[in-house]
Amino acid sequence: MKSDAPIIVAITGASGVILAYKFIDSLLEKQKNVFLVCSSAGRMVWKDEKLPSFGESIEKWDSSGRFKLFSNGDFYSPIASGGFKSKAMVVIPASMNTISSISNGITDNLIKRAADVMIKEKRELVLVPRETPLNALHLKNMAKLAQLGVKILPPNPPYYLFPKNIDDINDFIVQKLMVTIGVEDKLPSNYIYNEKE
Ligand SMILES: Cc1cc2nc3c(=O)[nH]c(=O)nc-3n(C[C@H](O)[C@H](O)[C@H](O)COP(=O)(O)O)c2cc1C
């Protein structure tokens, strides 16, 4: 793996694992290094939402030479420590359970610990929450994190672009994330309301 600081992708047990799948594909296409952690509930949703199998996906990403998978119990992983420099961390999809833990400083698995490290080191942390409706606890947890500089990016469809199908929506969310973490400078013009044809 080349020495650029990696982007940490964390998959938790909320609906929308396809977003993480497409996001990792896009990062690797852009020659970025990717460190992945997936919670056990994330694996359950992965299976439920009928993505290509976890094993096949890891094998595909591994072949890039820019990808590493860590177990969610692996506190010896480099991303458990602030001494290891990462470019950004994206929790996608982010369950309300994981968001609640992060906002309350609970670090009992690698995903939560790595997120806590991002906050303490003042590095880019983005959460892609998936729940509806949101209750007051969900909102308070996210507000607390937003005040600490964490970006909250709900996977909202771009209705103004008249997406034809769910792929259009997913692609838009991935592009929005690529800009948010600075992998891309701007959205492609077909995703910008004033610039689309
Ligand atoms: C199929 C399935 C779908 C789920 N969808 C969501 C969801 O969209 N949002 C959410 O917050 N929790 C959802 N849950 C519940 C979480 O997976 C559960 O709270 C779990 O404890 C989260 O653990 P984690 O944060 O370690 O991934 C779902 C669970 C299953 C099995």
Side-chain angles (χ1 to χ4, degrees):
M1 184 178 276
K2 299 250 172 65
S3 62
D4 298 0
I7 293 156
I8 303 166
V9 179
I11 300 176
T12 62
S15 187
V17 173
I18 184 69
L19 291 168
Y21 186 89
K22 288 193 163 213
F23 181 50
I24 295 170
D25 273 352
S26 298
L27 289 172
L28 292 173
E29 262 166 40
K30 286 274 164 189
Q31 316 291 314
K32 300 296 162 192
N33 293 325
V34 174
F35 282 7
L36 172 66
V37 196
C38 183
S39 72
S40 49
R43 289 285 295 273
M44 286 164 70
V45 181
W46 183 303
K47 201 160 171 223
D48 237 57
E49 295 191 342
K50 308 201 183 317
L51 275 82
S53 84
F54 190 76
E56 276 171 39
S57 308
I58 300 302
E59 216 170 282
K60 176 182 86 169
W61 292 330
D62 251 342
S63 67
S64 70
R66 296 179 173 274
F67 174 85
K68 274 190 189 165
L69 173 70
F70 295 96
S71 136
N72 201 18
D74 182 6
F75 292 109
Y76 288 108
S77 154
I79 61 175
S81 160
F84 179 81
K85 201 79 195 275
S86 57
K87 177 172 165 52
M89 175 173 181
V90 180
V91 184
I92 174 170
S95 71
M96 293 303 115
N97 171 60
T98 291
I99 289 177
S100 165
S101 298
I102 298 169
S103 95
N104 286 289
I106 296 167
T107 60
D108 58 0
N109 67 32
L110 180 61
I111 292 173
K112 297 170 189 177
R113 168 64 189 166
D116 197 71
V117 167
M118 299 307 279
I119 296 170
K120 86 183 171 78
E121 300 296 335
K122 306 209 182 311
R123 295 187 194 136
E124 187 86 77
L125 173 61
V126 183
L127 307 178
V128 182
R130 214 302 322 176
E131 187 50 278
T132 193
L134 294 163
N135 68 32
L137 277 175
H138 302 149
L139 293 166
K140 278 182 187 165
N141 288 329
M142 287 191 265
K144 222 160 116 182
L145 290 167
Q147 280 156 4
L148 292 171
V150 175
K151 286 187 184 145
I152 311 288
L153 194 148
N156 291 348
Y159 295 106
Y160 50 91
L161 297 174
F162 302 100
K164 289 191 182 51
N165 52 42
I166 197 158
D167 268 349
D168 285 355
I169 297 171
N170 294 338
D171 290 344
F172 172 81
I173 306 296
V174 167
Q175 284 300 321
K176 191 89 189 173
L177 274 167
M178 300 290 272
V179 175
T180 300
I181 63 169
V183 170
E184 301 282 5
D185 291 337
K186 66 186 280 254
L187 285 170
S189 56
N190 57 320
Y191 286 142
I192 300 174
Y193 186 75
N194 298 334
E195 291 182 21
K196 74 184 161 61
E197 309 217 327

